[in-house]
Amino acid sequence: MGASDTQTADTDSDAVDMNTALGLVPCPAEIKRSDGWFELSAATGLDADSGSAGVAALLRGWLTPATGFPLRDAPAPSDLVISLRSDAADLGAEEYRLIVEPGRASIESGDAAGVFYGAQTLRALLGPHAYRSARVYDRPWRIPALTIADRPRFGWRGALLDVARHFLPVRDVLRFIDQIALHKLNILHLHLTDDQGWRVEIKRHPRLTEVGAWRRESPIGDRRHERFDGRPHGGYYAQDDIREIVAYAAERHITVVPEIDVPGHTGAAIAAYPELGNTDAPGHPAAPEVVTRWGIHEGVLNAEESTLRFVFEVFDEVLELFPGQYVGVGGDECPAVQWENSPRAQVRIAELGLPSADAIRDWYTARLGEYLAARGRTLLGWDEICDSGIQPPLRDDASGTVVGAWRSAEHGVAAARAGYRVVLCPEDQVYLDWRQAD
């Protein structure tokens, strides 16, 4: 999604040229070089206003192990100080100004998030050794004198972590949060459920993790080769694990957006609770298991009100764990084969007045949209939710449905023209799991 009108200025060519030498990622909007250096030393102090106290703690935690310098609290007027201020009236949210001069470095912003991003820039200017966990660098720690004025071009700057297919322990998720934070991203989209695994504890329905969090094996290499590793794979996050991840991210000004995929990509949930599936559809397994292959699978939730209530009960616990505005509900890659072949699904299609079996997916999306809106949350769905032409819930507070345009940028354009807010994530440009060669 685009940022506000005050945050849409393009990076100018002068900043790009100067950043070639500085190597900052992302490139700041404006850079002005000055004469001299600011040198970090054992005498350097750290001064922060109350709104920047959390950033000061993080900055000290980053730099003290790497440099060996304590960065003690220091009064603002003193020399050899790093100053953090979050009350700059002329700077907006997430916007910052970094001024480095001999004897002093100051970061100013209109909020703590902007101070945090300024601190990340200051850290980057110290060079790669500033990211180490112990001191290995014995030369002067210098930052060139300069002024950087920076602001985000996009309000939603996200990365998706697919722990449903490949479970990661909490410590690895926290490390990933640190990685995206230093690149000034502000959204972690956590893909928690899919055919191949269910990764979040739901106390009301414990079999989701007792059964759904484990598959007997995983594929190796290209799917055409039909090779498997023969090793069980699994794991899940207890609710306190989720609370830790969300809190850790919040300290780094990152919102965690959960995704609970429905009504497709639900093989793990159906393995745990077979009654959620279309048990009367031809070919439906009598004892479904957590899926061991990648790709699109025919197993989808049935259209019973009892199944929808089950989904709502899951989301009741998910909303308690994730306080952010946005909640992902999937809606992608949802084949209608079982609904077309299930006698009971055909009865439900008639009862609900739906035009086709495909529309069961739209029924789920619409009902979840109503559920989330009633709780002050916003639905995030993949671009397939636009295929039916359902009118998105648009409101004056711009909190209506958000579409993740993954199939192509063109799908994002179409969704925007239909009135949705859009996050562009076209797979051919931003997915990191594409194989380079056979």
Side-chain angles (χ1 to χ4, degrees):
M1 290 184 296
S4 67
D5 291 341
T6 61
Q7 297 175 324
T8 55
D10 288 334
T11 302
D12 61 43
S13 58
D14 290 340
V16 171
D17 291 343
M18 189 168 294
N19 195 53
T20 301
L22 296 174
L24 298 174
V25 178
C27 177
E30 302 172 27
I31 307 173
K32 183 179 179 181
R33 185 72 166 86
S34 305
D35 295 330
W37 300 83
F38 171 68
E39 184 171 330
L40 210 63
S41 72
T44 304
L46 184 58
D47 172 65
D49 64 7
S50 58
S52 305
V55 180
L58 288 170
L59 186 60
R60 187 176 281 116
W62 299 333
L63 297 186
T64 296
T67 65
F69 303 143
L71 297 179
R72 298 183 180 88
D73 290 338
S78 65
D79 288 335
L80 298 176
V81 70
I82 299 172
S83 173
L84 310 179
R85 292 290 177 271
S86 61
D87 57 358
D90 61 328
L91 297 174
E94 298 191 309
E95 187 176 2
Y96 71 89
R97 183 166 48 238
L98 169 62
I99 302 172
V100 179
E101 52 196 348
R104 186 176 184 81
S106 63
I107 299 169
E108 305 167 343
S109 178
D111 67 354
V115 176
F116 176 79
Y117 299 135
Q120 291 283 21
T121 298
L122 184 143
R123 184 187 185 192
L125 289 167
L126 285 166
H129 289 296
Y131 296 92
R132 295 195 179 274
S133 299
R135 180 168 182 166
V136 298
Y137 184 73
D138 59 0
R139 285 172 284 179
W141 292 88
R142 287 179 173 175
I143 302 174
L146 48 68
T147 299
I148 290 177
D150 200 11
R151 52 200 170 273
R153 293 181 63 223
F154 299 97
W156 180 296
R157 305 182 303 283
L160 183 150
L161 188 61
D162 184 0
V163 294
R165 271 62 171 252
H166 300 280
F167 177 72
L168 290 177
V170 172
R171 64 179 180 275
D172 292 331
V173 177
L174 301 184
R175 182 177 184 275
F176 187 77
I177 289 170
D178 283 333
Q179 295 292 317
I180 65 175
L182 68 88
H183 290 91
K184 302 182 176 71
L185 303 186
N186 64 355
I187 297 287
L188 171 60
H189 182 152
L190 202 57
H191 187 65
L192 289 165
T193 71
D194 215 291
D195 294 307
Q196 297 82 10
W198 185 285
R199 305 296 179 214
V200 56
E201 178 189 23
I202 302 298
K203 293 184 182 296
R204 189 162 182 174
H205 300 294
R207 285 178 59 83
L208 287 171
T209 47
E210 291 172 359
V211 174
W214 311 93
R215 62 175 182 262
R216 58 182 170 84
E217 61 183 1
S218 303
I220 299 174
D222 193 287
R223 71 183 68 181
R224 294 171 295 179
H225 302 151
E226 287 289 308
R227 296 178 60 213
F228 296 85
D229 61 11
R231 296 198 306 269
H233 177 87
Y236 67 92
Y237 305 109
Q239 293 199 354
D240 278 348
D241 294 332
I242 293 293
R243 293 185 180 98
E244 178 184 4
I245 289 167
V246 169
Y248 190 88
E251 289 176 348
R252 289 148 183 82
H253 301 277
I254 291 171
T255 298
V256 183
V257 176
E259 181 181 345
I260 306 296
D261 216 332
V262 292
H265 286 299
T266 48
I270 293 170
Y273 294 95
E275 65 272 20
L276 300 176
N278 296 275
T279 55
D280 64 341
H284 186 281
E289 67 170 355
V290 177
V291 176
T292 60
R293 289 170 167 82
W294 314 138
I296 303 173
H297 300 273
E298 291 183 0
V300 295
L301 298 179
N302 63 47
E304 300 298 327
E305 289 291 337
S306 59
T307 299
L308 184 64
R309 285 196 300 273
F310 183 101
V311 171
F312 287 164
E313 288 166 1
V314 168
F315 276 94
D316 285 344
E317 296 191 30
V318 169
L319 295 192
E320 190 275 326
L321 296 170
F322 296 91
Q325 181 66 39
Y326 302 97
V327 179
V329 306
D332 61 313
E333 297 182 328
C334 189
V337 176
Q338 289 190 353
W339 294 329
E340 291 168 347
N341 295 326
S342 160
R344 178 56 189 162
Q346 290 299 311
V347 171
R348 286 293 289 159
I349 289 168
E351 290 175 351
L352 296 169
L354 301 177
S356 67
D358 279 318
I360 292 177
R361 179 198 63 198
D362 305 325
W363 175 74
Y364 266 102
T365 302
R367 294 292 298 273
L368 279 166
E370 295 167 358
Y371 166 91
L372 292 171
R375 290 155 181 80
R377 306 296 186 91
T378 300
L379 183 148
L380 166 68
W382 297 113
D383 56 53
E384 284 94 331
I385 70 172
C386 303
D387 290 349
S388 66
I390 288 179
Q391 181 64 29
L394 298 175
R395 287 175 269 166
D396 290 341
D397 60 359
S399 60
T401 299
V402 175
V403 168
W406 75 275
R407 289 181 293 179
S408 70
E410 288 72 23
H411 281 91
V413 172
R417 286 176 174 163
Y420 293 93
R421 293 184 295 158
V422 175
V423 176
L424 278 179
C425 45
E427 61 172 340
D428 61 334
Q429 297 182 43
V430 302
Y431 277 39
L432 302 179
D433 62 346
W434 277 40
R435 191 172 288 109
Q436 289 185 334
D438 285 342

